[in-house]
């Protein structure tokens, strides 16, 4: 079902027509049941308030054209007397707020036509219902294609970033990638794509944003994306370069650990086939949230550039050998010696 929405939601005029009020809720609208059975898409085609916002957001994929659509619980006319804030429709609920920030809406579109084209694209990866498999399409891309740049795309210098999306482009059928929520939780990439014509879901950490660490926003994005893919039986491939849960006072204030635990619980409930490719790092709580751990199928592969653990060696050495380092005539030299001692143990070949 594709909902094209432009509505103000509830109206005070309804009270006069009905000569009564109503308890909020829509018992005759089985929207939760639908989400578990068929693909549901919400498109904001204008201002969508109240129930209109709900119809856009209660979906597996949502999109809004920039400049001409807004999504909010209550519009400016409700906000001003309610909380004393004077704000424009776009500043309150435009695509800059939601598609680029809050994650309330997945994607931004250039215009109405682009929004509808994105809907068509999204549906091309989906089955008609959970009782079918996604349709395989003809593939002109040689399944034996090799991209030599994969051999050197991960820098030898651990602190250097690289373009994870180039890995996706090399691995998946050419022209088959469709990104969801690009501007939200940006340390996590979520895409739909195809392998030899078969629809596949793909995730990966983006070291260009927060080093790829698991932020509260990235964890929410993971929960939503994986839940949707699992509902429609899409195999999932996770390209892992996870330095750990994002740290700092801002991260703690957002409850990042709690959302990270929610993401780990959700992954454990996945029944779709899963493949994990450890590209570089996997550390801590976030590093353990790479796929279902206690049941399969969960294929795990590692590139030679991969390394993992409960804590990175650099930080672990400082914590475990603090007194040793401090007592040394040359603390920096001693720390470097300890790091060099432990470094070979990181090799994935072990």
């Amino acid at each position: 079902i594709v909902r094209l929405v432009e509505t103000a939601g509830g109206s005070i005029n309804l009270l006069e027509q009905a000569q009564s009020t109503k308890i909020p809720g829509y018992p005759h609208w089985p929207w939760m049941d639908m989400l578990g059975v068929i693909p549901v898409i919400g498109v904001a085609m204008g201002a969508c308030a109240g129930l209109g916002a709900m119809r856009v957001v209660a979906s597996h994929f949502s999109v809004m054209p920039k400049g001409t659509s807004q999504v909010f619980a209550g519009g400016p006319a409700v906000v001003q007397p309610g909380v004393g804030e004077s704000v424009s429709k776009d500043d309150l609920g435009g695509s800059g707020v939601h598609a680029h920030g809050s994650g309330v809406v997945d994607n931004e579109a250039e215009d109405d036509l682009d929004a509808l084209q994105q809907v068509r694209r999204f549906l091309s990866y989906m089955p008609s219902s959970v009782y079918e498999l996604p349709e395989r399409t003809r593939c002109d891309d040689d399944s034996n294609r090799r991209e030599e740049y994969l051999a050197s795309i991960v820098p030898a210098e651990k602190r250097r970033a690289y373009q994870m999306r180039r890995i996706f482009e090399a691995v998946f059928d050419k022209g088959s990638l469709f990104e969801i929520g690009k501007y939200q939780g940006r340390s996590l990439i979520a895409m739909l794509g195809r392998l030899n014509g078969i629809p596949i879901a793909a995730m990966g950490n983006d070291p260009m944003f927060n080093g790829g660490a698991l932020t509260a926003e990235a964890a929410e994005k993971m929960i939503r994306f994986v839940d949707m893919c699992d509902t429609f039986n899409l195999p999932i491939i996770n390209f892992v370069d996870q330095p750990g849960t994002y740290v700092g006072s801002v991260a703690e204030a957002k409850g990042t650990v709690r959302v990270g635990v929610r993401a780990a619980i959700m992954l454990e409930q996945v029944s779709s086939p899963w493949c994990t490719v450890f590209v570089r790092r996997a550390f801590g709580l976030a590093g353990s949230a790479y796929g279902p751990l206690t049941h399969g199928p969960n294929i795990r592969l590692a590139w030679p550039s991969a390394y993992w653990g409960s804590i990175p060696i650099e930080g672990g050495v400082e914590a475990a050998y603090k007194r040793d380092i401090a007592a040394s005539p040359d603390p920096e030299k001693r720390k470097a010696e300890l790091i060099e001692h432990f470094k070979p143990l990181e090799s994935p070949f072990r």
Side-chain angles (χ1 to χ4, degrees), residues 3-4 45 83 98 130 138 147 185 193 206 295 302 313 319:
R3 300 195 193 101
L4 310 180
M45 302 297 279
V83 296
H98 293 315
V130 295
R138 184 174 177 274
E147 296 290 358
D206 190 347
H295 66 278
I313 281 176

Side-chain angles (χ1 to χ4, degrees), residues 118 146 172 217 293 300 328 345:
Q118 289 194 42
R146 292 167 59 92
F172 291 89
E217 295 83 358
L293 304 185
R300 293 180 295 182
S328 172
L345 303 180

Side-chain angles (χ1 to χ4, degrees), residues 103 125 143 229 234 267:
Y125 300 92
S143 60
C229 296
L234 287 168
L267 291 178

Side-chain angles (χ1 to χ4, degrees), residues 156 158 280-283 302-317 339-350:
K158 289 181 178 181
R280 190 158 64 169
R281 302 160 295 179
F283 288 101
W303 283 11
S305 51
Y307 57 99
W308 45 71
S310 299
I311 186 171
I313 281 176
E314 290 79 3
V317 160
I339 290 172
E340 284 303 309
H341 171 73
F342 283 103
K343 215 171 183 179
L345 303 180
E346 286 186 319
S347 170
F349 293 101
R350 288 181 173 261

